[in-house]
Amino acid sequence: MLKKLFQSFRSPLRRAPHPRSTPEVLGNNQHSLRRGQISRYAVSVVERLQNAGYQAYVVGGCVRDLLLNFEPKDFDVATSATPEQVRAEFRNARVIGRRFKLVHVHFGREIIEVATFRSHHPQGDEEEDSTQAARNESGRILRDNVYGTLEDDAQRRDFTINALYFDVSNERILDYAHGVHDIRNRLIRLIGDPEQRYQEDPVRMLRAVRFAAKLGFDIEKHSAAPIRRLAPMLREIPSARLFDEVLKLFLSGQAERTFELLLEYDLFAPLFPASAKALEQNPEYAGRLIRQALANTDERIYRGKPVTPAFLFAALLWPALPARVAYLQGRGMPPIPAMQEAAHDVISEQCQRTAVPKRFTIPIREIWDMQERLPRRSGKRADLLLENPRFRAGYDFLLLREEAGEETDGLGDWWTDYQDASDSERRNMIRALNSKDDGAAPRKRRRGGTRRRRGGPRGEGAPSAAE
Ligand code: ATP
Ligand code: MG
């Protein structure tokens, strides 16, 4: 009898397609996260929402990062209140986004991002309200504004380690997807069926790589397996979103490691097709230049120095230029116009993948133009170049090319000396050039010894603050 009763309770549960998960609840003696580590603004947003009768938790990257002793980039809040209800609670709040509606609550320069609990996405016959939710034919989610419960919200998050909810009122962590287990085992694991989750949003492949690089985690094998096959799906993602993702990939302090993982998972080519081709054709030079640029970027971020997307893109795309120039010259175009046109073509093709805004494409062109002008130093040219606002970026880029093994006959050292020289020394340097042809052939490259760079030790100069 008793056995029968149990069976009748158990069988419907076993058949249920989406068993509702109950969270593992970790009390504050079971984890290290303390309320005092959370931004006071995030705490006040959560408390305000809770006092108004809503559920609200601190969630996502900040919980993950604090458990791992990383400094969180930002603080995200998840709540049962709709965006409109959230906005009504705060004077300093704005609803943003269309594909995915969020509320930004502003506190001076700090923004707390508040997301309403989302439900899993209705599919097939379940599809009810196309104004709130939409998918395309390959399953990609176009709009994701179906609200749900806390449990639903946990299931639709991307990785288990991103689905931890911290309750600031009692310092408990709610873990719906074994995220704490994966944090302990240092694994990036998608929640649910990996293939379906990548198809819903291919950007999750880039996020997997970004978190693996940032945290030094492995991508769990089932979450890693479909990536190479599905990587071409990135081509369907709106280019403006990919631009934002590329900045997160390369300007978060782990660009070098991220780049290796992007290559390993075939994710670099859909983002930078022309650069990927150059890497194939000339792996040594292209690989060295890109890796050096990324290493310099990481170094600058580590030292708290500014970095600019323009320098980064100038470096990532530079190896793609020669093939294009050769093609145009092969069709009879003279060298200088061929270079100009190649630069234009490479950038506009790239914009189709990762919409690079004009405020960056202009300095990219200027950095490249500088490479043509830096060898021409005779007469007043050198001094005019020094006054050019793009000089520093152009000079850093020249050093980068040399570090990648390009032979410039000591041009970088010449410019390093010139910047440090007195007026009379500068005149002598120009005179020495004038005795040669147009200053196009500078003195011999310094042999041995470490490479000098003006403005700090090796590795500090590039990318420069071209913005
Ligand atoms: P970081 O802020 O350090 O880049 P994060 O994990 O906080 O990392 P956000 O982009 O701020 O990333 O997103 C906040 C949370 O929203 C994530 O932790 C995750 O739970 C969820 N999320 C973000 N993007 C997606 C996505 N594409 N698919 C599913 N869930 C997502
Ligand atoms: Mg975040």
Side-chain angles (χ1 to χ4, degrees):
M1 176 69 197
L2 208 61
K3 202 172 164 196
K4 245 188 180 161
L5 193 68
F6 260 107
Q7 273 172 353
S8 65
F9 268 115
R10 280 168 57 191
S11 50
L13 251 183
R14 266 207 227 121
R15 265 188 272 119
H18 297 291
R20 203 43 41 106
S21 56
T22 37
E24 191 177 333
V25 181
L26 286 94
N28 73 354
N29 54 348
Q30 291 170 285
H31 65 81
S32 58
L33 183 50
R34 293 293 164 263
R35 178 189 156 102
Q37 292 172 275
I38 307 290
S39 143
R40 64 193 169 101
Y41 300 125
V43 172
S44 83
V45 167
V46 167
E47 287 181 337
R48 179 87 165 259
L49 288 168
Q50 288 179 340
N51 290 339
Y54 303 109
Q55 288 170 282
Y57 297 89
V58 169
V59 67
C62 56
V63 178
R64 171 198 74 212
D65 289 351
L66 287 169
L67 287 173
L68 287 161
N69 289 325
F70 281 95
E71 202 185 317
K73 208 175 72 196
D74 47 33
F75 289 86
D76 302 305
V77 169
T79 180
S80 58
T82 64
E84 288 67 28
Q85 289 169 329
V86 175
R87 193 180 45 190
E89 287 299 317
F90 300 93
R91 265 184 305 127
N92 45 343
R94 278 183 50 204
V95 178
I96 59 148
R98 216 176 85 81
R99 195 185 69 86
F100 193 99
K101 257 197 215 174
L102 292 168
V103 182
H104 275 178
V105 187
H106 292 255
F107 298 89
R109 285 171 58 190
E110 192 171 332
I111 295 174
I112 304 299
E113 204 164 90
V114 185
T116 303
F117 296 152
R118 294 309 196 269
S119 163
H120 95 278
H121 225 265
Q123 257 184 314
D125 337 329
E126 287 178 74
E127 192 98 31
E128 321 133 340
D129 185 351
S130 62
T131 59
Q132 302 306 317
R135 284 169 189 266
N136 73 357
E137 56 298 341
S138 60
R140 184 155 68 79
I141 294 178
L142 303 175
R143 264 193 307 288
D144 194 4
N145 289 314
V146 181
Y147 303 128
T149 62
L150 170 57
E151 291 78 9
D152 295 331
D153 190 73
Q155 297 308 319
R156 68 95 209 156
R157 288 188 179 264
D158 48 6
F159 304 104
T160 60
I161 59 170
N162 287 347
L164 297 170
Y165 296 75
F166 181 66
D167 188 338
V168 298
S169 64
N170 53 20
E171 297 188 329
R172 289 200 300 199
I173 289 178
L174 306 185
D175 179 0
Y176 285 90
H178 307 295
V180 170
H181 170 274
D182 286 339
I183 284 189
R184 287 201 187 107
N185 290 289
R186 310 185 70 78
L187 285 176
I188 307 291
R189 186 197 307 267
L190 270 173
I191 297 172
D193 174 53
E195 177 145 353
Q196 186 193 332
R197 300 306 310 280
Y198 292 134
Q199 276 165 347
E200 283 173 357
D201 182 5
V203 167
R204 289 174 186 149
M205 296 186 275
L206 298 178
R207 290 174 60 86
V209 159
R210 176 156 68 86
F211 295 132
K214 167 178 164 161
L215 306 172
F217 280 24
D218 286 328
I219 304 177
E220 180 275 330
K221 73 171 193 285
H222 297 98
S223 298
I227 298 182
R228 276 187 206 92
R229 188 165 37 86
L230 299 181
M233 285 189 77
L234 283 175
R235 297 205 194 103
E236 297 165 24
I237 302 297
S239 53
R241 185 168 178 219
L242 285 186
F243 178 72
D244 293 342
E245 288 301 325
V246 164
L247 296 191
K248 288 186 202 163
L249 287 166
F250 291 128
L251 298 180
S252 302
Q254 294 297 343
E256 233 189 324
R257 207 177 328 162
T258 304
F259 175 66
E260 302 307 340
L261 287 174
L262 290 174
L263 289 180
E264 182 183 333
Y265 286 103
D266 294 346
L267 292 166
F268 185 69
L271 295 176
F272 290 91
S275 313
K277 208 178 224 174
L279 269 170
E280 238 172 70
Q281 287 164 350
N282 192 354
E284 204 166 311
Y285 173 70
R288 243 193 288 170
L289 186 118
I290 290 174
R291 287 185 176 90
Q292 188 64 51
L294 299 178
N296 293 351
T297 304
D298 289 343
E299 169 88 9
R300 283 183 70 86
I301 290 170
Y302 180 72
R303 290 169 188 265
K305 296 189 161 202
V307 286
T308 160
F311 195 97
L312 175 74
F313 274 81
L316 286 164
L317 297 175
W318 176 260
L321 283 175
R324 189 77 203 169
V325 174
Y327 167 78
L328 293 168
Q329 282 190 280
R331 297 179 51 179
M333 202 179 272
I336 303 265
M339 178 68 193
Q340 295 292 330
E341 180 131 344
H344 173 268
D345 292 351
V346 165
I347 291 175
S348 52
E349 274 172 37
Q350 183 59 35
C351 284
Q352 292 175 8
R353 282 303 158 84
T354 60
V356 186
K358 255 220 169 75
R359 66 181 188 281
F360 301 126
T361 59
I362 293 168
I364 295 172
R365 290 292 299 264
E366 289 169 343
I367 290 169
W368 288 349
D369 284 347
M370 258 303 157
Q371 306 313 300
E372 298 286 305
R373 295 165 69 185
L374 286 169
R376 304 204 183 89
R377 293 152 289 166
S378 61
K380 291 209 175 347
R381 283 175 177 169
D383 287 329
L384 285 174
L385 278 178
L386 265 190
E387 284 165 23
N388 187 311
R390 210 58 74 191
F391 172 80
R392 178 75 208 193
Y395 162 73
D396 283 338
F397 200 85
L398 168 66
L399 298 189
L400 175 67
R401 288 166 50 210
E402 292 181 349
E403 280 167 335
E406 215 174 304
E407 186 47 70
T408 65
D409 205 7
L411 189 58
D413 278 344
W414 190 93
W415 275 110
T416 305
D417 291 340
Y418 194 77
Q419 291 172 77
D420 285 334
S422 66
D423 277 353
S424 66
E425 284 168 338
R426 285 185 179 181
R427 275 197 298 278
N428 286 337
M429 287 174 77
I430 300 294
R431 221 173 285 131
L433 287 177
N434 287 346
S435 60
K436 300 179 187 175
D437 301 338
D438 181 35
R443 67 191 167 75
K444 276 252 155 34
R445 191 185 179 131
R446 188 169 282 130
R447 299 261 167 233
T450 44
R451 185 91 176 68
R452 293 171 314 130
R453 174 195 290 278
R454 194 168 183 280
R458 183 190 169 92
E460 262 194 357
S464 82
E467 258 294 280

